Amino acid sequence: CGKDYTIIMEQAMPADTTFKRKFLFYFNLACVRMILYPLCRSVTGVERLPEGAFIIACNHRSLIDGLYVVNELSRARRRAMHMIAYQEPFAHWFYGRILRINGCIPLDRRTPETRAECLRMALGFLAAGEPVGIFPEAHLSRTERMRTARPGVALLALESGAPVVPVGTKGTQRVLEP
């Protein structure tokens, strides 16, 4: 990872993280939880998450999926969970801040080099013992069926040796339709 490893370690929220960063992280978790709590009813199996680095592979039915999965798993672990997300939402004044506070990884899909840089950053987080989340379908599924998965999850798993944890969301398309 080279010089990127320093940036990655700062974003991973180790024990020496500043008070301001910790406050923003936990305040963000609490606010998002209050907003999503009436909409999202149950989360099960969080206690079975492995310690250390792992890869979350989640289906993608709604625009709220990423925010919900990141928030719930970060809250359960009390550390940032780094979700790979397209770069466009990072430009939004409000949603972009939430993504940055949660430690999400922007994916610029314009060139192969920028996509490779995103995967290198994800591998850096995994090497630092942090979980990384990815939507294998890469896009919202507008039907009940999952779309064909892209190779990103398999590539991260093979390169890092981290276990893949499948996560399913159900009914989120009724909260915020694609």
Side-chain angles (χ1 to χ4, degrees):
C1 292
K3 66 179 179 126
D4 295 333
Y5 190 74
T6 311
I7 297 167
I8 289 164
M9 288 308 291
E10 289 173 8
Q11 293 175 349
M13 210 161 92
D16 62 343
T17 302
T18 64
F19 174 78
K20 179 183 174 186
R21 181 144 175 84
K22 283 182 183 179
F23 174 78
L24 284 174
F25 177 73
Y26 289 115
F27 181 74
N28 175 59
L29 288 180
C31 290
V32 171
R33 177 84 171 150
M34 284 189 299
I35 293 167
L36 294 178
Y37 187 74
L39 305 173
C40 303
R41 295 192 191 123
S42 66
V43 177
T44 58
V46 190
E47 67 280 354
R48 293 185 300 230
L49 290 173
E51 291 295 321
F54 57 91
I55 301 164
I56 292 290
C58 183
N59 65 325
H60 200 10
R61 304 285 312 274
S62 169
L63 295 172
I64 207 168
D65 289 339
L67 187 60
Y68 186 65
V69 169
V70 165
N71 190 64
E72 287 301 316
L73 296 180
S74 295
R75 189 179 61 81
R77 295 189 73 241
R78 299 196 187 284
R79 291 194 63 175
M81 202 210 80
H82 311 282
M83 196 76 167
I84 295 175
Y86 283 142
Q87 186 176 12
E88 291 81 6
F90 283 85
H92 190 271
W93 69 273
F94 181 69
Y95 194 58
R97 286 184 182 169
I98 291 173
L99 291 173
R100 281 187 208 87
I101 288 170
N102 275 326
C104 291
I105 305 166
L107 170 62
D108 185 357
R109 50 190 160 167
R110 288 179 286 184
T111 65
E113 292 81 22
T114 56
R115 289 189 295 257
E117 181 61 32
C118 173
L119 290 175
R120 274 194 287 281
M121 189 174 238
L123 286 170
F125 280 121
L126 291 167
E130 294 294 317
V132 171
I134 188 169
F135 294 114
E137 301 167 283
H139 295 285
L140 288 170
S141 177
R142 300 190 190 289
T143 66
E144 292 290 322
R145 297 185 57 169
M146 285 190 68
R147 299 170 66 167
T148 304
R150 302 265 177 117
V153 175
L155 179 67
L156 287 174
L158 288 172
E159 288 291 321
S160 68
V164 176
V165 178
V167 171
T169 58
K170 183 178 171 185
T172 53
Q173 74 279 4
R174 291 185 299 233
V175 175
L176 189 60
E177 290 187 27

